[in-house]
Amino acid sequence: MSRFFTTGSDSESESSLSGEELVTKPVGGNYGKQPLLLSEDEEDTKRVVRSAKDKRFEELTNLIRTIRNAMKIRDVTKCLEEFELLGKAYGKAKSIVDKEGVPRFYIRILADLEDYLNELWEDKEGKKKMNKNNAKALSTLRQKIRKYNRDFESHITNYKQNPEQSADEDAEKNEEDSEGSSDEDEDEDGVSAAAFLKKKAEAPSGESRKFLKKMEDEDEDSEDSEDDEEWDTGSTSSDSDSEEEEGKQTALASRFLKKAPTTEEDKKAAEKKREDKAKKKHDRKSKRLDEEEEDNEGGEWERVRGGVPLVKEKPKMFAKGTEITHAVVIKKLNEILQARGKKGTDRAAQIELLQLLVQIASENNLGEGVIVKIKFNIIASLYDYNPNLATYMKPEMWQKCLDCINELMDILFANPNIFVGENILEESENLQNVDQPLRVRGCILTLVERMDEEFTKIMQNTDPHSQEYVEHLKDEAQVCAIIERVQRYLEEKGTTEEICRVYLRRILHTYYKFDYKAHQRQLTPPEGSSKSEQDQAENEGEDSAVLMERLCKYIYAKDRTDRIRTCAILCHIYHHALHSRWYQARDLMLMSHLQDNIQHADPPVQILYNRTMVQLGICAFRQGLTKDAHNALLDIQSSGRAKELLGQGLLLRSLQERNQEQEKVERRRQVPFHLHINLELLECVYLVSAMLLEIPYMAAHESDARRRMISKQFHHQLRVGERQPLLGPPESMREHVVAASKAMKMGDWKTCHSFIINEKMNGKVWDLFPEADKVRTMLVRKIQEESLRTYLFTYSSVYDSISMETLSDMFELDLPTVHSIISKMIINEELMASLDQPTQTVVMHRTEPTAQQNLALQLAEKLGSLVENNERVFDHKQGTYGGYFRDQKDGYRKNEGYMRRGGYRQQQSQTAY
């Protein structure tokens, strides 16, 4: 309700008027939306008229203030949001900036924000602690600010060279602008806001500070006393109170701003007081240093930057004057170990105590037995430093662990009278009696196995594309050296079970490495002149093939656990396949019968089995055995989960099917990057093998509507290629294989060859093989042979007879090879033709079956399918499904092409019956 319609006394209206506040228009608001306020004192109220420059600059300063507050609390997300708003506000003020120039405060926030983001980026520990949103915002904002600051590069450089001068110029400019814009901005006492801020910003230095502080205290006392008086007198009106307060504030501001302690006496007194204080502080510091030097003479001091230097005192292990004996040291060791694993125990301090205990034991000559026992516990404490299994050891802890194990092995090799083992009880330990063999409880093999697991965890949790991964991979030489030393030690003093375990560790670090030295020696046999060099090269190290043979055969003969033997067999097969020993690898796989019960093994062994089968298939491909290569790779590639089955990563779709704990377990099973098999090479080998098998088969059974597919994935790629509306030159590996397949289907082997073997495919796939030229030569020969078969299948109905010499010239094959291929096709009843030896021609036969014969063939196939379904149902009830009949069927399929067609028909008939 308006004040004009109210009834009441003048005092009531005055009190209500004083209680109301004048509503000021916010910056950038709409004038039409503000209510019209009418007042009796309208003549006294001054309307503030502000320029467009002040409005825009105030909007900028408000945003800058918000950004600085967000910088203080490390809220990078807020910084990103406000920076985007700041850029928009600066764009609105562009016309003003063009006239007046870029404001200094804007340059200052750009420079400060860029420095702040660079500090956060370099702080690796802080980045790890950031949440996901802040980390994402940090990288985004850092890129934006670097790009944005390029337009202000010269201004930022000037600001960074003299930031103080830039701040002063900014203040002066603001003062001039505020004075020139309007006189209404001044306060009642005649001091403008900009001038007030400037005077406040000019911090009094040196002698004047204490005097100002003293004046402030006096002013506060006077204000308190005045406030007390005001509380006593409560009958004054609100208008008079406000006037008194304004007068007091004006007096306080004038006293604070205009008066300054500039007398000589005050300056001298402050100077003298400061000198006395500095002198006392220096005396106290020198006295403390002298006392500490007397306490521990010969110690070195470290300069600590920032804060009070913390003097690290070594913990006192024993009281002064205590006699150091075996019993005392063992008692102290047990005290330290009792705190292990308890809540609140400092693991780093525990490791330091144990290391100090080793020093004390060696200084007092307590014998190697005590030192070995403490060393065992130090290594165990290093492993327990990370309470979580998923976390990996820090680099400094990892290096300490390697050094400690090497020291322990040095002691054990230097003292053959020391016996260590898990079967030694603590009561039966002998740590001091030198006349008898020293016996210490502990297992060196367990420590080495844990070390190997920690190395795997380090490699799993390091970015494989960084230099850090390469640095960590260099530690594998130390790991292998330690395993070799433990192997030599256990061959002398270990049990059969321990030797098998350490042999497996050695195998796991050897099986995936290609032996280039042995390969080079095979390619260049020794000559008489270089016999000494060859002997020297052989003496450098044992061939990996001989080493694997020796280690694996020992495990085959002595091991009693199935797991170690299974892992050794798989590693041995993998190593054979890697070095192109196809027949040894194949025979070992068939004799082991691992494919029958591998599904019952644990997941790491299954991953090793999958890796071995893949390597076996690649080896068969290198030997030109495309059918064996396809069969070996079929299970892995047809699943569509090759990456997951080989332990080289998790698929996104499978992550939704498992919870967080299962995901952690799966990630711990992943194979380190340096053991990975190239998935693109694997897929290319599979698709090329499928092409060499599938294209001739499709040409032979083109009229058969029910022909079965050899490779579903290959057919899928062919369908994808056919669906494309515009066919350009192939780019990816799959497109190259599809284009080559289309050329082979037409019998054009040269085009097929150009698609399969070219610079792009060489760089992606073929150059990755050890003997790349040999593989390419084999591949060209296979393409020529299969293109010849495809050509005969496709165009046999066109020819009555064709000369073998013509075929030889067309496919650039020698005549015996052409004769051999055609003879095999005739023998296998794939090609209805006969050879005319005198004229060297192939005479085609017209033997299309009659309608009655076609019906008889269909009836025979349906009856065969019915019999097979009955057998399957019967075997399923008996619990022996897939036994004799399946083996008989598979054998039939291998020998006859007819049943390959029938296999697809039998699948169709399952749904019919």
Side-chain angles (χ1 to χ4, degrees):
M1 186 174 179
S2 175
R3 290 183 63 254
F4 292 103
F5 300 100
T6 56
T7 58
S9 63
D10 294 336
S11 61
E12 291 176 354
S13 64
E14 289 176 1
S15 62
S16 63
L17 178 63
S18 62
E20 291 176 2
E21 294 181 355
L22 185 63
V23 180
T24 59
K25 178 186 174 300
V27 178
N30 192 353
Y31 287 100
K33 293 183 180 179
Q34 294 295 331
L36 181 64
L37 297 178
L38 300 175
S39 165
E40 292 178 354
D41 301 333
E42 192 173 4
E43 298 175 357
D44 298 332
T45 306
K46 293 183 180 180
R47 183 181 172 200
V48 178
V49 180
R50 307 180 64 199
S51 64
K53 174 187 172 184
D54 292 341
K55 292 175 186 176
R56 295 299 180 194
F57 279 17
E58 184 177 352
E59 186 178 0
L60 291 174
T61 50
N62 289 337
L63 291 171
I64 289 171
R65 190 179 298 112
T66 310
I67 290 175
R68 292 198 180 277
N69 291 337
M71 287 164 62
K72 290 176 184 176
I73 61 175
R74 297 172 71 94
D75 190 355
V76 189
T77 309
K78 184 69 174 176
C79 287
L80 177 60
E81 295 173 0
E82 296 298 324
F83 177 73
E84 292 174 350
L85 295 176
L86 184 65
K88 293 178 183 177
Y90 182 79
K92 292 178 183 177
K94 194 75 171 70
S95 58
I96 299 170
V97 171
D98 293 339
K99 295 178 184 177
E100 303 291 336
V102 183
R104 294 284 183 179
F105 62 84
Y106 193 72
I107 298 299
R108 191 181 306 124
I109 188 60
L110 293 180
D112 293 349
L113 185 58
E114 186 174 12
D115 295 341
Y116 170 74
L117 293 175
N118 288 335
E119 288 178 10
L120 288 182
W121 189 263
E122 292 169 1
D123 184 12
K124 292 185 179 179
E125 294 295 330
K127 279 170 67 179
K128 290 180 182 177
K129 294 178 183 177
M130 276 187 182
N131 58 26
K132 188 177 180 181
N133 293 334
N134 266 352
K136 188 176 180 181
L138 175 61
S139 61
T140 307
L141 182 55
R142 183 168 173 264
Q143 291 176 357
K144 285 189 175 184
I145 194 73
R146 289 170 69 181
K147 185 177 179 182
Y148 191 77
N149 283 3
R150 290 173 190 165
D151 300 335
F152 305 94
E153 197 167 351
S154 59
H155 296 86
I156 293 173
T157 307
N158 294 334
Y159 166 71
K160 288 186 176 179
Q161 287 176 355
N162 198 349
E164 295 180 358
Q165 183 181 357
S166 301
D168 294 340
E169 289 176 3
D170 193 13
E172 289 174 7
K173 190 174 180 182
N174 289 340
E175 183 182 0
E176 291 172 2
D177 293 340
S178 60
E179 288 177 356
S181 61
S182 62
D183 295 335
E184 288 84 354
D185 290 345
E186 295 183 357
D187 297 336
E188 292 181 0
D189 58 348
V191 182
S192 65
F196 179 80
L197 289 173
K198 184 192 172 194
K199 290 179 180 180
K200 190 174 180 181
E202 293 173 354
S205 61
E207 303 86 359
S208 59
R209 287 180 181 171
K210 295 181 180 178
F211 186 72
L212 284 175
K213 187 177 179 183
K214 187 177 180 183
M215 287 185 64
E216 287 175 2
D217 296 336
E218 291 176 359
D219 293 340
E220 287 174 4
D221 295 336
S222 63
E223 283 180 7
D224 292 340
S225 62
E226 288 172 0
D227 290 341
D228 295 339
E229 292 174 1
E230 287 174 4
W231 278 105
D232 293 338
T233 59
S235 61
T236 59
S237 65
S238 59
D239 293 336
S240 61
D241 290 342
S242 61
E243 289 174 0
E244 288 177 4
E245 288 174 0
E246 288 175 359
K248 289 172 186 175
Q249 290 174 0
T250 307
L252 175 60
S254 61
R255 287 175 65 187
F256 177 73
L257 291 171
K258 294 181 181 179
K259 293 182 181 180
T262 56
T263 59
E264 292 293 331
E265 293 179 0
D266 294 336
K267 288 182 179 179
K268 289 180 181 179
E271 186 74 27
K272 187 177 180 182
K273 191 172 183 181
R274 191 166 62 254
E275 288 178 358
D276 293 342
K277 190 174 181 181
K279 188 176 180 182
K280 288 179 182 178
K281 188 176 180 181
H282 180 71
D283 293 340
R284 285 198 304 270
K285 189 175 180 181
S286 59
K287 187 177 179 181
R288 188 173 66 250
L289 290 175
D290 293 339
E291 290 176 356
E292 290 177 354
E293 283 178 1
E294 289 175 3
D295 291 343
N296 44 356
E297 295 178 356
E300 294 182 359
W301 289 93
E302 295 181 1
R303 183 179 293 277
V304 180
R305 294 181 181 178
V308 181
L310 299 174
V311 181
K312 291 185 179 180
E313 295 182 358
K314 291 184 178 179
K316 294 182 179 179
M317 299 291 294
F318 304 104
K320 195 172 182 180
T322 305
E323 184 181 358
I324 307 300
T325 61
H326 292 83
V328 172
V329 171
I330 296 301
K331 183 180 178 183
K332 192 68 180 178
L333 175 64
N334 291 330
E335 288 178 7
I336 296 171
L337 295 180
Q338 282 175 359
R340 180 178 167 190
K342 290 185 178 179
K343 189 177 180 181
T345 304
D346 188 356
R347 296 180 178 86
Q350 199 175 32
I351 294 169
E352 289 181 6
L353 287 174
L354 291 171
Q355 289 174 341
L356 185 60
L357 198 61
V358 168
Q359 294 178 8
I360 294 172
S362 59
E363 288 171 1
N364 291 274
N365 298 323
L366 296 182
E368 301 296 342
V370 177
I371 295 175
V372 168
K373 184 173 179 64
I374 301 173
K375 288 276 185 188
F376 269 116
N377 289 290
I378 289 175
I379 298 169
S381 300
L382 287 169
Y383 290 145
D384 293 344
Y385 186 77
N386 291 327
N388 190 0
L389 277 174
T391 55
Y392 60 98
M393 291 178 76
K394 295 179 180 178
E396 57 271 14
M397 290 293 174
W398 169 248
Q399 199 57 47
K400 277 185 185 178
C401 179
L402 292 179
D403 295 340
C404 204
I405 293 176
N406 274 320
E407 292 171 5
L408 182 59
M409 293 306 302
D410 291 338
I411 295 172
L412 292 177
F413 276 114
N415 300 276
N417 62 330
I418 299 178
F419 291 91
V420 296
E422 288 179 324
N423 53 353
I424 299 174
L425 300 176
E426 290 188 1
E427 295 81 11
S428 61
E429 283 184 331
N430 178 24
L431 303 176
Q432 54 185 347
N433 191 358
V434 188
D435 298 335
Q436 297 178 357
L438 297 176
R439 294 163 58 85
V440 182
R441 178 177 174 79
C443 181
I444 187 66
L445 179 58
T446 305
L447 298 181
V448 171
E449 287 177 338
R450 180 70 188 274
M451 174 201 69
D452 196 20
E453 292 170 4
E454 290 292 337
F455 176 72
T456 304
K457 276 199 288 186
I458 290 172
M459 302 311 293
Q460 286 172 343
N461 290 277
T462 308
D463 181 14
H465 305 291
S466 64
Q467 186 63 28
E468 186 182 2
Y469 191 90
V470 178
E471 296 299 325
H472 285 318
L473 192 56
K474 291 177 182 177
D475 292 338
E476 194 190 14
Q478 298 185 50
V479 173
C480 293
I482 289 173
I483 292 174
E484 283 185 45
R485 297 186 71 186
V486 174
Q487 175 189 331
R488 281 190 278 116
Y489 179 77
L490 292 177
E491 283 174 350
E492 297 176 3
K493 298 186 177 182
T495 62
T496 305
E497 182 186 354
E498 290 176 336
I499 294 173
C500 289
R501 284 164 60 190
V502 76
Y503 276 3
L504 181 62
R505 288 290 160 184
R506 184 84 186 276
I507 289 168
L508 290 174
H509 281 277
T510 308
Y511 80 98
Y512 63 89
K513 297 175 183 174
F514 188 81
D515 194 346
Y516 284 98
K517 291 182 180 179
H519 180 64
Q520 204 67 28
R521 285 197 287 270
Q522 288 178 0
L523 294 179
T524 58
E527 299 177 0
S529 59
S530 60
K531 187 175 180 182
S532 59
E533 296 179 4
Q534 182 67 21
D535 293 340
Q536 183 180 356
E538 286 182 354
N539 293 331
E540 284 180 4
E542 192 178 12
D543 276 358
S544 60
V546 179
L547 175 66
M548 290 287 293
E549 191 80 14
R550 179 169 60 84
L551 299 179
C552 291
K553 282 189 174 179
Y554 184 89
I555 292 176
Y556 300 158
K558 304 287 185 180
D559 181 57
R560 296 178 182 176
T561 61
D562 289 337
R563 190 181 187 280
I564 293 179
R565 189 189 301 111
T566 302
C567 290
I569 291 171
L570 291 173
C571 292
H572 202 182
I573 296 168
Y574 190 103
H575 193 265
H576 278 315
L578 187 64
H579 292 82
S580 300
R581 295 189 288 270
W582 157 253
Y583 293 103
Q584 292 94 315
R586 184 200 62 181
D587 294 343
L588 190 56
M589 175 62 80
L590 294 176
M591 287 190 296
S592 63
H593 295 284
L594 288 176
Q595 60 272 23
D596 296 337
N597 53 8
I598 193 64
Q599 67 271 15
H600 302 300
D602 53 339
V605 178
Q606 290 185 19
I607 290 172
L608 181 58
Y609 174 80
N610 293 337
R611 285 166 51 80
T612 304
M613 288 302 297
V614 164
Q615 197 61 245
L616 204 58
I618 295 173
C619 174
F621 181 80
R622 287 200 302 267
Q623 301 298 315
L625 306 170
T626 53
K627 191 172 184 180
D628 292 317
H630 180 269
N631 291 336
L633 301 176
L634 179 62
D635 291 337
I636 300 295
Q637 284 298 121
S638 61
S639 65
R641 299 185 301 128
K643 185 177 181 180
E644 192 172 1
L645 292 175
L646 296 176
Q648 296 181 189
L650 299 178
L651 299 177
L652 292 176
R653 64 185 179 192
S654 61
L655 290 177
Q656 301 170 359
E657 300 172 1
R658 54 172 68 92
N659 56 31
Q660 195 172 4
E661 289 299 322
Q662 290 175 336
E663 183 184 345
K664 287 180 181 178
V665 173
E666 289 288 338
R667 291 195 183 281
R668 284 202 293 270
R669 291 175 186 154
Q670 299 304 300
V671 177
F673 183 76
H674 62 281
L675 274 73
H676 281 196
I677 297 170
N678 192 319
L679 294 177
E680 190 172 18
L681 180 143
L682 170 63
E683 186 177 9
C684 181
V685 166
Y686 175 75
L687 289 177
V688 171
S689 301
M691 177 190 76
L692 295 173
L693 294 174
E694 190 80 65
I695 296 299
Y697 179 78
M698 290 169 63
H701 301 81
E702 190 172 4
S703 59
D704 189 356
R706 293 186 175 183
R707 66 172 184 269
R708 59 181 295 274
M709 291 183 290
I710 297 175
S711 171
K712 289 184 179 179
Q713 189 179 7
F714 178 74
H715 277 272
H716 173 69
Q717 296 300 331
L718 286 181
R719 285 195 298 270
V720 169
E722 290 171 358
R723 286 178 197 153
Q724 291 180 354
L726 181 63
L727 286 177
E731 294 181 1
S732 66
M733 177 271 300
R734 295 175 181 174
E735 291 176 357
H736 276 86
V737 176
V738 170
S741 302
K742 291 179 180 178
M744 181 182 280
K745 197 183 290 186
M746 304 300 295
D748 187 358
W749 76 271
K750 290 185 179 179
T751 308
C752 178
H753 167 244
S754 65
F755 281 129
I756 292 294
I757 299 174
N758 50 53
E759 291 185 3
K760 189 178 287 188
M761 290 292 285
N762 287 341
K764 285 185 176 181
V765 179
W766 308 125
D767 287 341
L768 301 178
F769 285 111
E771 298 176 347
D773 295 332
K774 188 178 176 182
V775 172
R776 281 190 282 263
T777 306
M778 176 275 301
L779 204 51
V780 172
R781 181 65 176 252
K782 280 287 178 184
I783 289 173
Q784 291 171 330
E785 293 176 359
E786 297 303 326
S787 297
L788 172 60
R789 283 165 48 83
T790 306
Y791 184 83
L792 290 173
F793 284 136
T794 306
Y795 300 107
S796 61
S797 59
V798 178
Y799 289 100
D800 289 328
S801 64
I802 186 170
S803 173
M804 283 194 289
E805 291 182 0
T806 306
L807 294 174
S808 177
D809 295 337
M810 188 184 299
F811 293 97
E812 296 183 9
L813 291 168
D814 52 350
L815 202 58
T817 305
V818 175
H819 186 277
S820 171
I821 293 170
I822 296 174
S823 300
K824 287 179 182 177
M825 293 172 69
I826 294 172
I827 292 169
N828 293 331
E829 296 182 2
E830 294 172 341
L831 183 66
M832 298 303 174
S834 60
L835 284 174
D836 188 10
Q837 289 290 350
T839 59
Q840 292 290 313
T841 57
V842 183
V843 180
M844 303 298 176
H845 298 170
R846 301 297 179 193
T847 56
E848 285 81 7
T850 62
Q852 189 176 4
Q853 289 174 338
N854 277 329
L855 290 174
L857 286 172
Q858 291 178 14
L859 179 62
E861 287 181 4
K862 287 184 179 180
L863 288 173
S865 300
L866 180 62
V867 171
E868 187 175 350
N869 285 333
N870 289 337
E871 288 286 343
R872 187 176 297 162
V873 171
F874 180 74
D875 290 343
H876 186 67
K877 288 181 178 179
Q878 296 296 322
T880 59
Y881 169 70
Y884 169 74
F885 190 82
R886 185 185 63 180
D887 294 340
Q888 188 183 30
K889 177 188 70 176
D890 290 344
Y892 199 109
R893 281 186 182 176
K894 289 178 183 176
N895 296 325
E896 297 289 342
Y898 171 75
M899 277 304 293
R900 297 185 72 83
R901 297 199 303 272
Y904 185 76
R905 295 184 183 181
Q906 103 195 1
Q907 293 176 6
Q908 296 288 335
S909 61
Q910 287 178 24
T911 57
Y913 292 97

